[in-house]
Amino acid sequence: MREYLKFYIDGKWVEPVELKTLDVINPATEEVAGKIALGSAADVDKAVMAARKAFPAWSQTSREERLEVLGRILAEYQKRFGDLATAVTEEMGAPSSLAQRAQVPIGMGHLATAVEVLKTFKFEDDRGPTMIVKEPIGVCGFITPWNWPLNQIVCKVAPAIATGCTMVLKPSEVAPFSGQIFAEIMHAAGVPAGVFNLVHGDGLGVGVPLSSHPEVDMVSFTGSTRAGIEVAKNAAPTVKRVAQELGGKSPNIILDDEVLSKGVARGVATMMVNSGQSCNAPTRMLVPSKRMDEAITAAREAASTVTVGDPNGNSQLGPVVSEVQFNKIQKLIQAGIDEGATLVIGGVGRPEGLDKGYYVKPTVFANVTNEMTIAKEEIFGPVLSILGYETLDQAIEVGNDTEYGLAAYVNGADLAKARQVASKLRAGQVSINGGGGDMMAPFGGYKMSGNGREWGDYAFHEFLETKAMLGYAPKIAAE
């Protein structure tokens, strides 16, 4: 049983102003796995003021000093690899293989990428008489989700550290264990007091005061579009910068060619990763209507091989994160059935043999129309919708017919055609034939999927202000 009843503020573990606790549930067992303290506006204020106090000195550190700190963080992160993997599995149900292969390593990837970017990042641009300078924006508030907890913590923290910002992190209260261990890593790495602070809590108690705090210069939020809108509203009165990575309903266009079945199978496999709990999951598969039966056969075959069970065993999928999510997914699966989509495999209820834990059957619907609930709403579970198209132009139109624009996918033998389709999809990231894994590729969305970009050098710009110093070179100015 884990008990995390202190917050990390100003380089120390401190008691909450008023102790209130929350039980953290293991989604595989439905039993209490630990307890955290819930922060309040008073705790947020202490953390923000610690970050404000630390900002003048930290913002003036050299490139070399920040590189050294990032290197120490990476070294400590590697030491805690096993602890982090265990925590992620326990808190949100990721299979241990996924935790060790992806959930934890991606945090290391962001740290290593920040180091490489920082080595050559151009903070100054000499333009004759004027010097353009990129300076740290200030105190940052980070509100991160439960589905890829370390990914979303580190893809914010690493570039913020690299650019000279100070910060306050609120990890998800649903999956807070990995965030707690990350704070321990920052402390062990000797990050100067006040540069990094952590306050556990929920959206109302910590998220609202953090995003609205007048001493916070920017807030970076990852989560649902609904919550992102509230964060933006909270931030508006202080005119702080807001970066958001929100929901998605990503299209996956399968071209009409000889590798259709292969593309369908790849799409099913990609969709199911992390029990479908990825904002960029390819949840809407578009196939030629005349080949719907072929696509159904390929999808059924691919989904039937996906194993669900104990995340500490050999299963490919663990549970979804909570009872709330489980019930939402079940309701949406039932909506798909009620609205007339063809249930190819899966359906409501737990998989056979699992009577405890928030396990969802890998589910595929076919003959879906874009007006159906399951084609419009983000399900955030292992549920795929297959839609038919008559022409490629129609596929592109349907693919773009969503309020979201985080990601999109194209699969086909003709690379030139796939590239052409990709160029017409309104999304922040488009994967062609399974392309991925580029830590330097900017990540973020169009439309209601958010604003701003994370990952690689693009992430640095989110944490920088631009200053023009005119007359910096007076002799040139005089000429």
Side-chain angles (χ1 to χ4, degrees):
M1 180 73 68
R2 300 172 188 260
E3 276 202 356
Y4 297 144
L5 303 182
K6 294 183 178 182
F7 306 138
Y8 187 69
I9 298 174
D10 204 18
K12 300 180 290 291
W13 293 100
V14 302
E15 302 280 353
V17 172
E18 180 183 352
L19 181 60
K20 294 181 180 179
T21 63
L22 175 73
D23 288 339
V24 179
I25 305 300
N26 182 328
T29 64
E30 301 184 42
E31 296 174 358
V32 176
K35 184 180 294 187
I36 60 167
L38 289 174
S40 64
D43 299 300
V44 169
D45 190 62
K46 287 173 63 176
V48 170
M49 296 319 293
R52 175 58 62 197
K53 182 179 69 173
F55 179 70
W58 180 248
S59 65
Q60 295 302 310
T61 52
S62 67
R63 184 192 308 268
E64 290 69 29
E65 288 172 299
R66 295 176 200 166
L67 282 169
E68 184 180 345
V69 170
L70 282 168
R72 295 202 303 266
I73 296 170
L74 180 55
E76 293 297 330
Y77 190 104
Q78 290 169 325
K79 290 179 186 176
R80 300 296 299 274
F81 188 102
D83 295 336
L84 289 167
T86 300
V88 170
T89 296
E90 192 175 340
E91 67 189 359
M92 56 79 60
S96 56
S97 59
L98 181 69
Q100 294 168 19
R101 191 180 71 248
Q103 289 272 6
V104 178
I106 199 167
M108 291 170 52
H110 288 303
L111 286 165
T113 299
V115 167
E116 290 307 306
V117 172
L118 181 56
K119 286 177 182 177
T120 58
F121 191 84
K122 195 173 182 181
F123 288 97
E124 296 181 349
D125 183 10
D126 184 351
R127 296 191 179 183
T130 300
M131 178 66 76
I132 310 296
V133 180
K134 295 285 188 179
E135 297 183 335
I137 194 168
V139 176
C140 303
F142 297 151
I143 303 172
T144 58
W146 47 260
N147 60 320
W148 287 89
L150 289 162
N151 172 60
Q152 289 306 141
I153 288 172
V154 188
C155 79
K156 300 179 193 301
V157 170
I161 290 285
T163 52
C165 295
T166 58
M167 65 213 72
V168 178
L169 167 68
K170 186 202 92 66
S172 169
E173 73 277 18
V174 177
F177 300 158
S178 53
Q180 175 85 10
I181 295 170
F182 185 79
E184 294 171 2
I185 288 167
M186 298 293 275
H187 183 74
V191 176
V195 171
F196 172 87
N197 305 272
L198 174 143
V199 178
H200 287 299
D202 57 22
L204 189 62
V206 175
V208 171
L210 182 59
S211 56
S212 59
H213 201 291
E215 291 292 335
V216 170
D217 299 296
M218 77 92 72
V219 59
S220 180
F221 171 82
T222 300
S224 70
T225 296
R226 175 194 55 77
I229 291 169
E230 294 305 311
V231 167
K233 288 179 179 177
N234 296 335
T238 50
V239 199
K240 57 172 59 70
R241 185 180 298 174
V242 179
Q244 300 172 315
E245 192 261 282
L246 308 175
K249 195 69 181 174
S250 303
N252 181 8
I253 297 177
I254 311 295
L255 301 185
D256 185 6
D257 57 34
E258 66 274 14
V259 295
L260 180 140
S261 293
K262 182 179 178 182
V264 169
R266 178 189 287 134
V268 170
T270 305
M271 168 65 230
M272 297 297 171
V273 170
N274 207 38
S275 296
Q277 298 172 121
S278 299
C279 45
N280 62 339
T283 53
R284 291 184 300 142
M285 180 181 290
L286 290 97
V287 304
S289 296
K290 64 185 179 183
R291 301 180 69 178
M292 179 64 74
D293 289 346
E294 186 181 343
I296 287 173
T297 299
R300 181 186 293 112
E301 184 178 325
S304 67
T305 67
V306 177
T307 56
V308 185
D310 182 0
N312 289 301
N314 296 319
S315 299
Q316 293 166 270
L317 304 189
V320 296
V321 75
S322 67
E323 184 179 15
V324 170
Q325 287 298 118
F326 178 84
N327 290 336
K328 175 192 171 188
I329 294 163
Q330 297 301 311
K331 183 179 177 181
L332 286 165
I333 292 173
Q334 187 61 55
I337 295 169
D338 293 343
E339 292 177 19
T342 301
L343 181 61
V344 174
I345 193 170
V348 295
R350 292 182 177 89
E352 189 176 346
L354 295 170
D355 57 3
K356 196 173 188 181
Y358 306 124
Y359 295 99
V360 176
K361 295 176 184 176
T363 298
V364 176
F365 284 102
N367 296 306
V368 176
T369 66
N370 217 35
E371 291 70 41
M372 291 182 179
T373 304
I374 55 173
K376 287 191 169 296
E377 290 194 25
E378 186 177 39
I379 300 174
F380 231 58
V383 182
L384 173 66
S385 297
I386 304 179
L387 300 82
Y389 67 83
E390 302 302 326
T391 67
L392 209 44
D393 285 343
Q394 184 195 25
I396 294 165
E397 182 181 350
V398 171
N400 288 331
D401 184 17
T402 171
E403 64 186 18
Y404 299 112
L406 183 60
Y409 300 74
V410 185
N411 285 272
D414 187 336
L415 182 58
K417 185 182 288 186
R419 287 171 174 168
Q420 186 179 35
V421 172
S423 71
K424 296 178 180 179
L425 291 170
R426 300 284 294 169
Q429 199 171 84
V430 184
S431 173
I432 299 173
N433 290 331
D438 184 355
M439 298 297 295
M440 289 293 292
F443 186 73
Y446 288 22
K447 299 185 280 187
M448 293 189 77
S449 286
N451 50 64
R453 292 295 181 270
E454 296 180 318
W455 297 43
D457 56 322
Y458 278 81
F460 278 45
H461 295 283
E462 296 297 324
F463 300 103
L464 294 169
E465 287 283 22
T466 302
K467 175 188 288 182
M469 291 193 284
L470 291 78
Y472 188 86
K475 288 183 180 181
I476 298 175
E479 292 172 3

